[in-house]
Amino acid sequence: MSSRADRVDGHVVPAGRAGGRARPAPTGTAARALALGAALLVGVNLRPAITSVSALLDQATSEFGLGGVERSLLATLPVIAFGLTALLGPLLARRFGTTRAILAAMSALAAGLVLRVLSGWMLLPGTFLAGAAIMVAATLLPPYLKALGASGLWVGLSSMSFGIGAALGAGLAVPLDEAFGLRPALAAWSVLAVLAALAMLAVGRGSAATAPIREPVSIPADARVSVAVMTAVFSLQALLYFAVTTWLPLMLSSHGESRAAAGGLLGWFSLIGLVPTLVAPVIARRRRILTWFGPGLGLVMAAGFVWFALDGGHDPVVVTVLGIAQNAGFGLAMGLLVSLAADESSAGILSAIAQGAGYAVAGIGSLLLGVVHDATGTWTPSLLIMAVCALLLAGSVALVIRRRPVSLIRR
């Protein structure tokens, strides 16, 4: 780890301690640049498997003969897999090291994306495998960046890469479908996963590889509140983000948008949020701005959902507002997660707990929002529920920014 210090809530915390032992940062500019670049490539892979399906959900329903429940399950299964496999990442990191665990995740992602289109019966298992692989990589990116001594800017770039992947998946899904058909359009993203695997393989062979982490886990009583509040923040922002990326095309279709326009607006939702996603983790280390910026994002989201629920038009405007606020919220959550951990090992544990619970809530919540729509025949109740969740997010962020960095290992 670097000897660099992180500043959170006005407190300076050494960034180079893990289990009481200093971990040296990778030596060599080229090795560190490769390691940070590989993190960005991994991040780009963590959304196309989801947004490409959302943009082609009607086509997939027809191609694979899915019923209403199966359609909702296909759309939300990756996020459900996130919650069910949250602890897999830290377990792999403890056994093989973070770098090799991410390499395995990218390899599994490529396999899952191909398997799910080979046969109808493999659609859901392949989708679950892809979701589990994404969860492993997403859980391990914070400790990976912590081990590299990544600055707030690099954490922001990493978070922004998620949005780039989401925009690519949504924006290119329909053109790929029209050019090559549904199955090749869904499987094409495996190429990107293979490239990320090759990048992590190169990192693993160099001096930037991270060693296995085997410090014993311990969550002291004074850290439990911080863990709980951080988990609430990640759960609420994940629920809202994935509810939008899952159902936005169908919401827009109910307003009369064509499937191409709906897919384009889903891509725009991610694209317009790239800069806010980059800036939010940097702001997460500046308390004076954070005290109003963090809760303010939740309030803007709530207003956007109410606007969308009550207004039958102006889709590009409300999608733009939500894209800016929600992507900034994701970047803020990632920045808070990295900064709230006192060391690399704690970052991995906190990441697993917060993201695991968060994605479980997101998957189940997104599924239930779809069920509410099917039961009522309109998206208005679902959107109003999302507005309430956004208000709860604002309150949770206001609490977490007052917490000190915590160590979750036994010293």
Side-chain angles (χ1 to χ4, degrees):
M1 289 288 296
S2 167
S3 59
R4 184 181 61 83
D6 287 328
R7 180 177 294 275
V8 184
D9 296 345
H11 304 284
V12 177
V13 183
R17 294 193 176 276
R21 300 190 304 275
R23 290 180 178 271
T27 56
T29 303
R32 189 167 185 274
L34 173 63
L36 290 170
L40 301 186
L41 188 53
V42 169
V44 172
N45 274 275
L46 303 186
R47 293 295 178 265
I50 301 170
T51 57
S52 61
V53 170
S54 297
L56 298 173
L57 194 54
D58 285 340
Q59 290 69 37
T61 300
S62 176
E63 174 78 15
F64 295 102
L66 304 178
V69 174
E70 291 173 313
R71 182 187 70 172
S72 295
L73 188 58
L74 174 63
T76 57
L77 188 58
V79 188
I80 294 173
F82 292 173
L84 295 178
T85 60
L87 296 179
L88 185 57
L91 289 175
L92 290 174
R94 291 173 69 87
R95 180 69 178 84
F96 303 107
T98 305
T99 303
R100 291 176 182 170
I102 296 176
L103 166 60
M106 290 296 98
S107 301
L109 175 59
L113 292 175
V114 173
L115 288 174
R116 72 177 181 177
V117 299
L118 292 181
S119 177
W121 71 269
M122 298 178 71
L123 176 63
L124 295 182
T127 298
F128 184 89
L129 175 60
I134 291 171
M135 184 60 199
V136 169
T139 301
L140 295 181
L141 274 180
Y144 179 83
L145 292 170
K146 194 81 173 180
L148 294 171
S151 65
L153 176 61
W154 272 104
V155 175
L157 288 171
S158 178
S159 301
M160 187 176 72
S161 69
F162 287 38
I164 293 174
L168 290 173
L172 296 180
V174 173
L176 287 173
D177 174 42
E178 292 176 346
F180 304 105
L182 176 69
R183 298 189 187 216
L186 294 178
W189 302 104
S190 62
V191 176
L192 195 59
V194 170
L195 292 176
L198 292 174
M200 294 306 300
L201 180 62
V203 173
R205 291 179 174 176
S207 61
T210 55
I213 303 170
R214 297 195 172 95
E215 292 88 347
V217 176
S218 176
I219 303 179
D222 60 350
R224 290 172 188 168
V225 174
S226 296
V227 173
V229 177
M230 186 67 241
T231 300
V233 169
F234 211 96
S235 298
L236 290 166
Q237 71 81 25
L239 168 60
L240 296 175
Y241 179 88
F242 284 106
V244 171
T245 56
T246 298
W247 300 119
L248 183 61
L250 295 183
M251 291 178 181
L252 294 171
S253 295
S254 70
H255 284 187
E257 299 285 358
S258 67
R259 74 185 188 107
L265 283 172
L266 179 58
W268 175 246
F269 169 85
S270 299
L271 190 63
I272 191 62
L274 292 183
V275 173
T277 304
L278 171 65
V279 173
V282 179
I283 293 177
R285 302 191 181 193
R286 290 164 170 77
R287 178 172 179 138
R288 289 184 180 178
I289 302 176
L290 184 61
T291 52
W292 60 265
F293 175 80
L297 288 177
L299 298 178
V300 172
M301 291 180 207
F305 290 129
V306 172
W307 181 9
F308 202 178
L310 301 181
D311 182 29
H314 304 98
D315 292 342
V317 178
V318 72
V319 170
T320 299
V321 171
L322 289 175
I324 292 172
Q326 289 194 259
N327 282 282
F330 170 71
L332 178 64
M334 291 294 287
L336 290 174
L337 197 156
V338 173
S339 298
L340 190 60
D343 48 66
E344 177 190 352
S345 299
S346 298
I349 299 164
L350 182 60
S351 178
I353 295 172
Q355 293 199 58
Y359 288 134
V361 170
I364 296 171
S366 296
L367 180 61
L368 291 177
L369 290 171
V371 171
V372 170
H373 165 263
D374 291 340
T376 61
T378 176
W379 286 106
T380 299
S382 297
L383 286 163
L384 293 178
I385 292 172
M386 293 163 69
V388 173
C389 290
L391 293 176
L392 294 175
L393 174 62
S396 298
V397 171
L399 292 175
V400 81
I401 60 180
R402 292 174 170 81
R403 308 304 301 178
R404 294 173 178 268
V406 296
S407 177
L408 305 180
I409 58 174
R410 189 175 302 129
R411 299 185 184 278

